[in-house]
């Protein structure tokens, strides 16, 4: 048996002990993990320094180095995040509706953990603590495979969390770190479908595609967000401009930011000059379809749609009404977040019905597609897979429901 | 672009028209499909005769030929099954809880179809009609890839169903049949993750493993059912015997039948002789652990656990109480159905909590793990995957929930 298989079997062997904890004990465990990170901050920051030095020596970009960096403030933020996870409603709460059949057979669908969850992520070491806390709070073991550039930080954070497990008399293998600098273990991990229940990749598109391609285990994907705002002929244009500014310019680097504006041709002359001016003020570059250029003096012509810029760049296309907008989104959208701005309720309803995205917004900013804003509390990612979870994944998404059938010797006969 | 890709793109292109139908129209469509099968029975039975002749010439087993066979009765049964699908509650019903935030933003999670569902199955041609009806009722297009031995029957059934789509002014490509005698198209199909949302394989373990291995699309698996009955020292032994007889002997060939009996060593002397006698009467062969053989004169020694016999064969093992039973099930179970017989409520609760199976039964037969018995109506299979659906998959499992965010120009600011 390979070493990796043995490691995951030990993680799995820890599940029965975790299942015996009640909600309060699981919650206490998570807040203690937050406290432990603060107590162990000297070691964690020392490990992080080692990662940072290697990263700078290797010439990583300033943005990459910043994502890697931990300091006292960030570590305290992490501890607070873990306390919030501890305070969320119990994801294994007993809220199953009981149905009693005429013959007295009692049927319920109770919440149960998924089992062993593998998180595959890149440079940000805070994911190590966040993911472990969410998985354990929902009764799951986790296997954490972070980026090699954060190796020392991840090991130090995991050691701190594992000490809390040991103090509680639980197997420390419930948090299992994969030390895998060259993806060789990742390949093997993705084939252990008898031991791992779910793989969640977080990070760049290349990593996610690699995981989706090689995994035999169910994968919940968090692909890119190519979010559109369609401004209908019957839109309130002040409102539309405000939704555009919030979606595009307020935080361009996140997945629920807008990338493309679709404008009904009928209002191009009224709306586009205002868009051009406002985007210029906000230093947002525009790439527009040829027929929109007359109203947008600073724009470059665009011939590529469906691009996730994650930057101060906006694509603009004129369309012939709602149907053309729906076609564009069906072709170029990423199933993440799509927005319509209109005062026409029928068109809004049609947009909601026809658009296949984890969130569809009517006269509201794309930026609301977020676990916190939607009331889920902590989020482990935004799924663009429709299976199991679609949209922000909170704690409840890390559970399943199993049937409990209780009888007094009931048999089926036929 | 490959022919297959074009075919699936046409199926996908039919989705908007299907989404515009209300619940009543979708329901009418399904009952008309049932009527159409009866109206077209001459052609369907002629096509089935051709399949049967080829099957017999190729020397297929009598069981295989029987699964393939259609006759007037079976076709009428199929039409009735479709009428029942038409009468189920609408899977796209508007039951979303509305939450209004303090700032007036309105949040709902509405039911939406999954999109395009591929069904991969073997010889039974009735799956063609069942699967198409369930997929369409939930607003999905379907791609049907049946076994090559049922080729003519599947094409004739699909043609009948497609004529109903055309009569309703809908694209017939919403039901798309893959004519794929050598698995070459299947391989390509399983890589079209941008066009197909879900793959459901039904059939033998080899087929399901092939699909799970090669698919880049989410797969809901329906692996084997190796179901155990654990008879605790505190069980009512009359009840235990009755659960055993129902689970093992009443219909041994189905996935929720029992395959293995685990008996607490403390009651071996009381219980095993009764088991041996009853199984002999029912012509069920026994394969038992060595320590159980003294009480089971007719049994063969067993050294292989976790086997799905689907036959009049029962494995029996003595265990040292509940913990040992849980260990056995964790190791050899198939996440399908597991049963405990006990009068001790604490042990029952522990069994329910610890056993990872789509259904856990307490003092009730394993045979209740079935969509009809659990109140789901028609079932498209029993999932042993924990993601998205665990246990019997009814109509609702063919939908997802997407967020709808309605504002009056709400922006996030931060």
């Amino acid at each position: 048996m390979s070493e990796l298989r043995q490691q995951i079997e030990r993680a799995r062997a820890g599940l029965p002990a975790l299942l015996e904890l009640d909600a309060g004990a699981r919650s206490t465990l998570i807040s203690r993990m937050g406290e432990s990170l603060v107590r162990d901050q000297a070691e964690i920051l020392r490990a992080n320094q080692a990662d940072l030095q290697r990263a700078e020596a290797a010439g990583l970009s300033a943005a990459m180095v910043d994502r890697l960096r931990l300091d006292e403030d960030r570590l305290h933020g992490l501890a607070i995040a873990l306390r919030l996870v501890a305070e969320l409603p119990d994801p294994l709460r007993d809220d199953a509706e009981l149905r009693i059949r005429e013959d007295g057979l009692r049927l319920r669908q109770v919440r149960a953990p998924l089992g062993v969850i593998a998180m595959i992520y890149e440079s940000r070491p805070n994911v190590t603590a966040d993911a472990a806390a969410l998985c354990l709070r929902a009764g799951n073991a986790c296997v954490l495979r972070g980026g090699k550039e954060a190796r020392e930080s991840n090991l130090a954070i995991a050691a701190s969390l594992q000490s809390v497990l040991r103090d509680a008399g639980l197997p420390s293998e419930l948090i299992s770190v994969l030390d895998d600098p060259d993806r060789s273990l990742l390949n093997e991990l993705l084939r252990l479908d008898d031991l791992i229940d779910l793989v969640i990749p977080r990070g760049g598109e290349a990593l996610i595609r690699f995981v989706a391609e090689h995994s035999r285990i169910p994968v919940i994907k968090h692909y890119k967000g190519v979010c559109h705002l369609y401004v209908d002929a019957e839109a309130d244009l002040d409102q539309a401009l405000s939704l555009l500014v919030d979606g595009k310019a307020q935080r361009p680097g996140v997945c629920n930011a807008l990338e493309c504006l679709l404008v009904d041709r009928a209002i191009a002359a009224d709306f586009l000059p205002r868009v051009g001016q406002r985007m210029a003020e906000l230093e947002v570059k525009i790439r527009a379809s040829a027929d929109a250029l007359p109203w947008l003096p600073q724009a470059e012509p665009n011939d590529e749609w469906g691009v996730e810029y994650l930057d101060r760049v906006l694509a603009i296309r004129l369309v012939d009404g709602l149907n053309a907008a729906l076609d564009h989104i069906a072709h170029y959208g990423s199933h993440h977040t799509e927005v319509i701005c209109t005062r026409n309720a029928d068109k809004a309803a049609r947009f909601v019905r026809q658009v296949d995205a984890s969130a569809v917004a009517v006269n509201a900013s794309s930026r609301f597609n977020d676990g916190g804003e939607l009331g889920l509390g902590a989020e482990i990612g935004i799924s663009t897979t429709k299976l199991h979870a679609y949209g922000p994944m909170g704690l409840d998404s890390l559970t399943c429901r199993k049937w409990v059938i209780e009888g007094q010797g009931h048999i089926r006969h036929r």
Side-chain angles (χ1 to χ4, degrees), chain A:
Chain A
M1 197 188 298
S2 77
E3 262 182 57
L4 177 65
R5 176 168 270 279
Q6 286 178 41
Q7 185 184 0
I8 313 294
E9 286 204 343
R10 284 194 300 270
R12 192 156 199 98
L15 289 173
L18 188 58
L19 272 174
E20 289 301 318
L21 296 191
D22 64 18
R26 255 182 294 110
S27 173
T28 303
L29 201 66
I30 307 305
S31 23
R32 293 222 170 114
M33 287 181 175
E35 292 156 18
S36 176
L37 292 178
V38 174
R39 201 173 49 237
D40 295 338
Q41 70 175 5
E43 281 109 82
I44 295 172
L45 294 181
R46 205 179 307 130
N48 187 243
Q49 274 303 320
D51 284 334
L52 289 171
Q53 279 163 17
R54 260 191 311 134
E56 277 159 8
L60 262 63
S61 73
M64 286 278 278
V65 171
D66 182 62
R67 258 182 295 204
L68 194 55
R69 186 183 311 281
L70 291 175
D71 54 28
E72 234 174 272
D73 276 0
R74 286 189 178 179
L75 219 45
H76 271 86
L78 209 44
I80 291 170
L82 261 50
R83 201 164 61 222
L84 292 176
V85 171
E87 286 168 1
L88 286 171
D90 182 28
L92 302 178
R93 62 194 175 277
D94 186 7
D95 60 357
E97 184 200 357
L98 172 67
R99 280 184 284 156
I100 304 180
R101 303 201 326 179
E102 282 187 12
D103 61 0
L105 194 67
R106 300 161 69 88
L107 305 175
R108 288 180 300 152
Q109 275 186 287
V110 303
R111 292 169 183 266
L114 292 176
V116 177
I117 299 176
M119 289 288 306
I120 319 289
Y121 51 103
E122 292 181 328
S123 52
R124 291 193 308 166
N126 61 319
V127 176
T128 303
D130 276 340
L134 286 164
C135 287
L136 265 79
R137 183 75 211 280
N140 301 289
C142 61
V143 180
L144 304 169
R145 196 274 186 197
K148 62 173 186 291
E149 58 287 351
R151 176 175 186 271
E152 305 295 332
S153 315
N154 289 338
L155 288 171
I157 290 173
S160 176
L161 304 179
Q162 286 164 337
S163 73
V164 176
L165 291 172
R166 270 191 299 267
D167 289 349
L170 290 167
S172 60
E173 290 88 352
L174 285 167
I175 299 174
S176 193
V177 177
L178 218 63
D179 195 7
D180 175 35
D182 60 0
R183 283 200 181 169
S184 62
L185 290 180
L186 180 55
N187 258 312
E188 190 187 341
L189 179 89
L190 295 174
R191 303 181 76 78
L192 298 178
D193 57 343
D194 57 328
L195 294 178
I196 299 174
D197 297 279
L198 172 63
V199 175
I200 304 180
R202 296 279 311 268
E205 203 178 334
L207 174 75
I208 296 174
R209 290 213 181 270
F210 179 87
V211 170
E213 176 104 2
H214 291 84
S215 182
R216 242 191 255 180
I217 307 164
V219 177
I220 293 190
K221 290 187 272 287
H222 304 257
Y223 275 149
K224 58 188 176 182
V226 182
C227 309
H228 298 81
L229 164 63
Y230 166 59
V231 180
D232 181 58
E234 295 176 72
D236 172 336
L237 297 188
D238 292 337
Q239 198 177 81
L241 199 61
S242 151
L243 296 179
L244 175 64
V245 169
D246 195 61
K248 180 71 252 178
Q250 182 261 336
R251 208 173 158 199
V254 292
C255 60
N256 59 14
L258 290 175
E259 303 294 5
C260 180
L261 173 70
L262 301 172
V263 177
D264 189 319
R265 194 180 305 281
I267 52 163
D270 289 335
F271 189 50
L272 288 186
R274 298 179 62 187
V275 168
Q277 191 190 333
R278 198 77 186 87
M279 291 298 110
E281 289 162 15
L282 293 164
E283 296 181 343
V284 172
K285 292 194 185 112
I286 296 178
R287 299 187 188 166
S289 57
D291 48 7
L293 293 174
W295 294 286
L296 298 164
Q298 85 272 42
E300 287 175 33
N302 189 27
D303 53 4
E304 199 188 358
W305 306 101
V307 179
E308 185 185 38
Y309 303 114
L310 295 174
D311 202 352
R312 302 185 92 75
V313 178
L314 175 70
I316 299 184
R317 188 177 198 180
L318 293 186
V319 292
D320 292 316
L322 178 58
N323 281 338
L326 290 171
D327 283 347
H328 180 100
I329 290 169
H331 204 88
Y332 297 108
S334 62
H335 309 291
H336 196 291
T337 313
E338 304 295 350
V339 186
I340 184 172
C341 186
T342 184
R343 282 174 297 205
N344 181 316
D346 290 340
K347 285 188 192 166
R350 180 127 194 277
F351 190 84
V352 164
R353 192 164 60 237
Q354 288 285 351
V355 166
D356 178 11
S358 80
V360 184
V362 178
N363 300 327
S365 172
S366 61
R367 300 270 294 110
F368 286 113
N369 190 9
D370 168 279
E373 296 291 328
L374 297 176
L376 301 185
E379 122 189 341
I380 203 157
I382 293 187
S383 164
T384 57
T385 318
K386 263 174 280 187
L387 276 289
H388 189 72
Y390 199 21
M393 285 181 75
L395 257 186
D396 287 357
S397 303
L398 301 179
T399 68
C400 62
R401 288 200 182 258
K402 66 181 176 190
W403 286 91
V404 178
I405 303 169
E406 288 167 310
Q408 300 89 42
H410 285 68
I411 57 175
R412 183 161 154 190
H413 298 295
R414 63 198 158 76

